[in-house]
């Protein structure tokens, strides 16, 4: 029997005004209370006569179920009654572990059509992705659609760009004031990654109980002047951990830093039990046959998530030209555009506004040296810190 159709009028502008903002908001809204239906635009729509400013549009819906026709957008092909929304917690080879809103986990394969759209440049499903999937059987499913990403983190490996986490809001760069001592060049390297990926960065200096915090003021000042947030913490003494907890709430945070700086100690203060959850997943991975995992999402009780990147020893900057590197140093950037030669490397040229700025103390000399070092060694291969660095 042919399904009965009827036409209804719905609000138009609401959805199409400031569309980019909407997408980010929807992702957030879903994190809190969202409804899978909210994300699906009716599939067959006709704007009625008044151009783009019309406030209502006509759509065709199924008389019985209230569902709209899905013929026009093969990308979607969603059956709203059976499709669920979920968050990709981690990806093992061809299988993604997806968390639905009820807290159930599903092992999902990815729909062929989506896979055929994947290229070397862009993995189709990665940790942090918001997806629509169709549950199949007990705890399995099929990913039908991946929502647009608000950010991507990538590393380079064998000359290819590998996206390993999506929708990250901020990098938490954890260092320690002592044991091991602070490594400003490593901070700089991770900051350029944040700039390149266009995600916020926060510098956390842990173990401040071991030093006189005043000794760090010059370094802290350099970073705060550039607009970075710097937190001086002690996981042991619980200093500033409330601020850190607040900072991570409702956001997707990647935590990075050398081993031994106190990342797990801090996380455990932020959310008791988080350390154990991270350890449980990593020992499961060690046992399992899939070892290609590169990022894992741990939702936080108060909203947001911590994204652990155990397989990523370092972020190797992908395909960055010299000019681009200077633009990733926030403090260097304004001078770089004033050099005599447009392609100035700021190392040996005459008429270099960057070197002039260093000479008369308008630019921090340590930051300049860190830039030169990174330029010579973009992958940080000669740096000792890399060996100890466990992402
Ligand atoms: P991770 O490898 O970065 O996860 O570091 P851990 O959290 O395992 O911490 C490494 C060592 O530093 C442990 O022995 C912790 O007890 C110690 N530690 C962590 N945070 C602090 C702190 O704020 N102050 C001091 N004094 N020690 C700390
Ligand atoms: Zn220059």
């Amino acid at each position: 029997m042919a399904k009965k159709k009827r036409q209804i009028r719905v609000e138009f502008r609401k959805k199409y005004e400031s569309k980019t903002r909407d997408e980010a908001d929807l992702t957030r809204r879903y994190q809190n209370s969202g409804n899978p239906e909210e994300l699906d635009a009716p599939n067959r729509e006709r704007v009625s006569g008044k151009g783009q400013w019309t406030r209502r549009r006509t759509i065709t819906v199924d008389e019985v179920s209230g569902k709209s026709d899905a013929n026009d957008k093969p990308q979607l092909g969603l059956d709203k009654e059976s499709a669920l929304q979920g968050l990709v917690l981690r990806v093992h080879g061809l299988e993604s572990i997806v968390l639905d809103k009820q807290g159930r986990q599903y092992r999902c394969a990815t729909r062929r059509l989506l896979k055929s759209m994947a290229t070397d440049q862009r993995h189709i499903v990665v940790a942090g992705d918001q997806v629509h999937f169709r549950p199949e059987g007990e705890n399995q499913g099929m990913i039908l659609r991946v929502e647009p990403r608000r950010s991507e983190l990538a590393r380079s490996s064998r000359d290819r760009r590998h996206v390993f986490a999506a929708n990250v809001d901020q990098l938490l760069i954890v260092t320690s004031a002592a044991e091991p001592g602070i490594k400003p060049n490593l901070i700089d390297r991770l900051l350029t990654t944040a700039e390149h990926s266009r995600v916020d960065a926060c510098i956390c200096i842990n173990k401040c109980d071991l030093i006189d915090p005043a000794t760090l003021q010059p370094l802290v000042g350099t970073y705060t002047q550039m607009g970075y947030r710097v937190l001086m913490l002690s996981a042991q003494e619980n200093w500033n951990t409330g601020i850190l907890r607040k900072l991570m709430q409702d956001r997707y945070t990647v935590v990075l830093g050398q081993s031994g700086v106190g990342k797990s100690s801090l996380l455990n203060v932020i959310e008791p039990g988080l350390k154990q959850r991270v350890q449980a997943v990593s020992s499961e991975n060690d046992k399992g046959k899939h070892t290609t995992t590169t990022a894992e999402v741990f939702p936080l009780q108060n909203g947001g998530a911590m994204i652990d990147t155990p397989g990523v020893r370092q972020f190797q900057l992908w395909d960055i030209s010299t000019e681009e590197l200077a633009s990733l140093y926030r403090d260097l950037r304004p001078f770089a555009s004033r050099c005599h030669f447009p392609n100035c490397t700021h190392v040996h040229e005459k008429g270099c506004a960057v070197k002039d700025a260093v000479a008369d103390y308008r630019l921090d000399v340590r930051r300049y040296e860190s830039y030169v070092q990174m330029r010579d060694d973009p992958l940080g291969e000669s740096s000792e810190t890399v060996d100890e660095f466990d992402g």
Side-chain angles (χ1 to χ4, degrees):
M1 191 178 79
K3 282 184 182 171
K4 265 195 186 165
K5 305 281 180 188
R6 92 188 134 92
Q7 297 200 317
I8 57 166
R9 303 274 288 161
V10 295
E11 287 299 325
F12 178 71
R13 287 197 17 133
K14 237 186 209 162
K15 186 160 180 69
Y16 288 88
E17 249 176 359
S18 62
K19 191 161 187 290
T20 3
R21 193 60 246 154
D22 264 351
E23 274 164 6
D25 285 352
L26 284 170
T27 319
R28 266 158 220 255
R29 221 184 302 155
Y30 154 65
Q31 283 308 309
N32 301 325
S33 65
N35 161 6
E37 303 275 329
E38 249 176 35
L39 282 180
D40 288 324
N43 293 314
R44 178 174 293 174
E45 59 189 46
R46 209 171 61 218
V47 177
S48 68
K50 298 184 201 76
Q52 60 173 318
W53 302 112
T54 186
R55 289 191 168 268
R56 290 170 78 78
R57 61 189 167 156
T58 306
I59 60 167
T60 311
V61 295
D62 188 299
E63 181 73 49
V64 183
S65 67
K67 280 189 286 180
S68 56
D69 269 3
N71 305 337
D72 294 0
K73 292 186 181 172
Q75 218 273 81
L76 302 178
L78 289 176
D79 177 350
K80 284 185 210 155
E81 272 167 10
S82 60
L84 295 176
Q85 259 193 295
L87 166 66
V88 177
L89 297 180
R90 53 188 187 274
V91 178
H92 295 291
L94 296 174
E95 198 173 70
S96 306
I97 310 298
V98 178
L99 180 75
D100 78 355
K101 276 204 249 302
Q102 272 69 46
R104 281 186 302 251
Q105 290 189 17
Y106 299 80
R107 310 180 89 84
C108 291
T110 303
R111 194 182 176 203
R112 252 227 320 267
L113 177 64
L114 287 183
K115 272 195 270 185
S116 67
M117 283 157 40
T119 65
D120 284 351
Q121 299 300 312
R122 195 188 144 93
H123 285 217
I124 205 68
V125 181
V126 301
D129 265 326
Q130 298 285 347
V131 296
H132 281 232
F133 69 101
R134 187 176 55 225
E136 289 170 355
E138 266 289 280
N139 56 358
Q140 301 199 320
M142 177 66 73
I143 294 175
L144 307 173
R145 183 169 110 191
V146 183
E147 292 298 309
R149 295 170 181 163
R150 42 178 204 281
S151 68
E152 287 182 338
L153 286 185
R155 70 192 156 107
S156 54
S157 152
R158 276 176 255 110
D159 286 341
R160 288 190 168 185
R161 180 173 183 263
H162 287 281
V163 174
F164 62 89
N167 298 322
V168 172
D169 296 302
Q170 61 186 350
L171 296 190
L172 217 64
I173 300 172
V174 185
T175 60
S176 61
E179 299 175 14
I182 200 156
K183 298 221 166 47
N185 285 15
L186 181 57
I187 300 179
D188 292 341
R189 178 176 297 281
L190 295 174
L191 284 176
T192 54
T193 304
E195 295 287 333
H196 189 241
S197 322
R198 296 200 177 85
V199 299
D200 286 347
C202 174
I203 301 162
C204 293
I205 307 177
N206 188 37
K207 304 198 193 182
C208 282
D209 56 289
L210 297 177
I211 50 131
D212 171 5
T215 58
L216 287 177
Q217 274 318 313
L219 187 71
V220 172
T222 316
Y223 289 119
T224 51
Q225 266 172 26
M226 283 182 248
Y228 293 114
R229 189 196 277 264
V230 183
L231 283 183
M232 299 184 67
L233 304 129
S234 167
Q236 187 177 294
E237 304 295 330
N238 239 331
W239 293 348
N240 282 341
T241 46
I243 299 178
L244 182 60
R245 185 180 299 117
K246 192 92 195 138
L247 191 75
M248 291 179 72
Q249 191 178 337
D250 293 330
R251 310 185 81 195
Y252 282 18
T253 306
V254 165
V255 180
L256 292 168
Q258 285 173 271
S259 62
V261 294
K263 295 182 298 295
S264 346
S265 309
L266 280 172
L267 290 173
N268 228 30
V269 177
I270 301 303
E271 182 165 315
L274 186 54
K275 186 176 168 179
Q276 282 77 2
R277 277 159 67 201
V278 175
Q279 278 166 353
V281 170
S282 47
S283 63
E284 187 188 305
N285 287 344
D286 289 346
K287 274 184 263 154
K289 53 184 187 293
H290 304 293
T291 50
T292 52
T293 311
T294 51
E296 297 167 6
V297 176
F298 296 89
L300 300 173
Q301 276 159 15
N302 296 328
M306 195 280 284
I307 304 183
D308 190 32
T309 57
V312 185
R313 284 170 60 77
Q314 59 175 328
F315 290 99
Q316 298 182 338
L317 287 176
W318 169 253
D319 204 15
I320 288 180
S321 63
T322 321
E323 300 91 80
E324 208 181 344
L325 180 62
S327 77
L328 301 178
Y329 274 70
R330 276 191 188 176
D331 43 353
L332 222 124
R333 187 159 54 198
F335 300 108
S337 57
R338 286 184 235 149
C339 296
H340 179 71
F341 299 106
N343 57 350
C344 186
T345 63
H346 323 301
V347 178
H348 52 77
E349 291 88 346
K350 285 214 163 63
C352 173
V354 172
K355 286 196 291 173
D356 287 349
V358 177
D360 53 20
Y361 306 107
R362 283 174 294 146
L363 184 60
D364 186 58
V365 63
R366 191 207 57 77
R367 280 278 292 178
Y368 172 71
E369 282 166 357
S370 135
Y371 158 80
V372 174
Q373 191 194 55
M374 185 127 142
R375 215 189 139 264
D376 291 345
D377 179 20
L379 301 183
E381 278 161 348
S382 68
S383 158
E384 300 161 34
T385 57
V386 169
D387 295 335
E388 307 161 42
F389 180 65
D390 69 358

